[in-house]
Amino acid sequence: MTKWDYNGPILEIDRLSISFFTRLHEIPAVIDFSVVVQPGEAVGLVGESGCGKSTAALGVMQDLGKNGRIVGGSIKFKGRNLSEITRDELRDIRGSEIAMIYQEPMASLNPAMKIGKQLMEVPMIHEGVSTEEAYNRALEVVTDVKLPDPQRILYSFPHQLSGGQQQRIVIAMALMSKPSLLILDEPTTALDVTVEAAVVNLVKELGKKYGTSMLFISHNLGLVLETCDRLCVMYSGEAVENGSIQDVFDKMRHPYTQALFRSIPLPGADKNSRPLVTIPGNFPLPHERPSGCNFGPRCDYFEKGRCNVGSIAMQEVVGDDRHWSRCLRFREIDWSAPITAGGQEEKAKVGDTVLKIENLKKYYEVTANALFGGSGTKKVVKANETLSFEARECETLAIVGESGCGKSTFAKVLMGLETATDGQILLDNRNIEAAPIEDRDAKTVGEVQMVFQNPFDTLNPSMTVGRQIMRALEILGGDATKAERKKRMLDLLDLVKLPRTFADRMPRQLSGGQKQRVGIARAFAGGARIVVADEPVSALDVSVQAAVTDLLMEIQREQKTTLLFISHDLSIVRYLSDRVMVMYLGHVVELGSTEQVFSPPYHPYTEALLSAVPIADTSVEKKHIVLEGDIPSAMNPPTGCPFQTRCRWKSEVPDGLCEREVPPVRHLAQGHQIKCHMSDAVLGHMEPVIKIAAE
């Protein structure tokens, strides 16, 4: 049988159980898991970290390592049980008929081999084609994944490409043999939201072109909505709900699915009037699963003596399209009941200006030969270009934009890790732009603190939680005694809602969300006036994101902190920010209140950012605007408007003005400014990118 003449399901996973074995224990990672992928169908697999999504995918690839073993059920690919085929048959199938795309593209690319050679290897090894045919195929797929100048790309090394281009190459490599099944494991997590939109669009187009079935693993429900036909929700090793996208999104029938949706900031959520509802408790470890329903201890509908007795099987939701739920009570629950609102809060009163930035510039001088083997000429990288804005007490100012736009450079200058090239940073009317952190006094250092993106990298693995907070207090806490510092450390644990017993724990004993809470506690050790939160929740599960986000808001109200929230996730930005600053290639291209920035007229770049945000709501209609090309290099920026090379509105501006002159700052309304040459008449014709359908 060839790979083209099979008419049944492409993938049938039936009651699969996978365990990992240590010297002491069997650790069940996947339990009683079933999913079917039909020809040409895209099935999304969602759930929190540790729920078994990637383990199930590795089971399909038969790549569970030495300790992993399938202990029950079966995986059939085109009707053949993958556990029963020979090693040679498996090698022929992997890469040829089943391909997998991983989260980190550089893990799949050989850094010492040119792109063309890596692509050509696939059909040459699996199909024995000639070098010439392999080259032509490589050129075709690189063209298919919409990379500029495909011939140049084939002769490039991986490090010469951006992250988005590398991921497109990995997709091209997976498609080289036109596989019947493509497994995508969080393929866009490391990418900018605009690049993510382009890659997702591309995967959908190519899936249709090649007739490829897909298993799409993600924690992003909005992305799954835009990409997949069907959805499987996993919790603690089990599939808890399975059905069509429409059925699961609009007629969910499992409490965990409902809890997931309530913890993500959909349009309409508001940090004061409609706060997110976080999932109580913690995700169970494999050896600590409760009896009965795994979700029972966290479930609003738990019934003792029923939900915690015996194993719970999947049950069919009659009348829907292959819709199943692992809940004993799903027929009794009123799924249309309104959400029990979280504790509503009064809007925090915004105070006086704490931080004032005036015409801030940060340039880096680099030597050309250090990068390109050139003549030693100096080049200037303009990381921040004339930044001007204010931030007030108890205000949340979101800073958004793609990688390379200058967000993190500004944060470094504010923190004193870099000094400004020009302009001013005034903290309570004190100039701090020229003072590196080692020259700042403890009070100033304590007043401007940072919460970092990855909580796993910011804690000392050899020091207890309590000692790490105490260390910050020793440096920032002035003349306090040891007893006073210990009391303050325990108070900080209370502030971030961690048990005081965690003071004696090591970082390895904490979950990701708990580690991020320790990072927040440490940031407030010196009485921070301004906290720079650099993507503080992007490394966390959606359910944990809600808890950490609401914690930051609560602390802000209590401490009257100014929060600078750096993010590319505009859903979270819309939920928690008071004002939004949009950056592109070092420039502030739009600045205004959240309401102003999320409503037309927009800067063309803001419009594209809003279009790229995946929203997990079937009632939302969204205009799709996919940006062409990559963000230009800050070392060689375009002339005129920094966005003109990618702007879909450029033709509306006469006389090539966009290509000649940097736009002036224009004030559209009170507190709302943009940098754009478009006339008021053209801006007035802009339509909303995101529309919520009338009920």
Side-chain angles (χ1 to χ4, degrees), residues 613-675:
V613 178
I615 300 172
D617 189 337
T618 55
S619 69
V620 169
E621 294 175 18
K622 208 171 62 169
K623 186 183 292 184
H624 283 274
I625 303 162
V626 176
L627 284 182
E628 297 295 329
D630 293 309
I631 189 167
S633 165
M635 192 163 63
N636 189 23
T639 57
C641 173
F643 188 59
Q644 56 97 352
T645 57
R646 305 169 80 193
C647 181
R648 76 189 191 101
W649 291 89
K650 188 167 69 169
S651 60
E652 299 289 338
V653 179
D655 304 324
L657 189 61
C658 296
E659 295 168 4
R660 291 199 318 272
E661 294 180 19
V662 175
V665 173
R666 292 166 56 196
H667 294 272
L668 302 181
Q670 180 66 36
H672 187 199
Q673 66 181 56
I674 67 167
K675 252 186 187 178

Side-chain angles (χ1 to χ4, degrees), residues 337-350:
I339 299 172
T340 305
Q344 295 191 7
E345 300 283 350
E346 280 190 30
K347 188 171 182 178
K349 188 178 178 184
V350 174

Side-chain angles (χ1 to χ4, degrees), residues 319-366:
D320 289 349
D321 175 20
R322 292 177 285 152
H323 190 182
W324 297 77
S325 171
R326 196 183 294 272
C327 176
L328 293 174
R329 300 198 59 202
F330 81 85
R331 294 181 186 88
E332 307 159 20
I333 294 167
D334 180 4
W335 297 100
S336 61
I339 299 172
T340 305
Q344 295 191 7
E345 300 283 350
E346 280 190 30
K347 188 171 182 178
K349 188 178 178 184
V350 174
D352 297 330
T353 298
V354 175
L355 181 70
K356 188 172 184 179
I357 312 295
E358 292 183 342
N359 294 318
L360 181 73
K361 295 182 181 180
K362 178 59 185 175
Y363 295 171
Y364 295 96
E365 202 173 67
V366 295

Side-chain angles (χ1 to χ4, degrees), residues 111-129:
M113 192 185 290
K114 288 181 178 175
I115 296 296
K117 191 172 181 185
Q118 296 190 55
L119 290 170
M120 288 164 63
E121 273 189 344
V122 178
M124 289 172 74
I125 290 171
H126 286 289
E127 299 173 45
V129 305

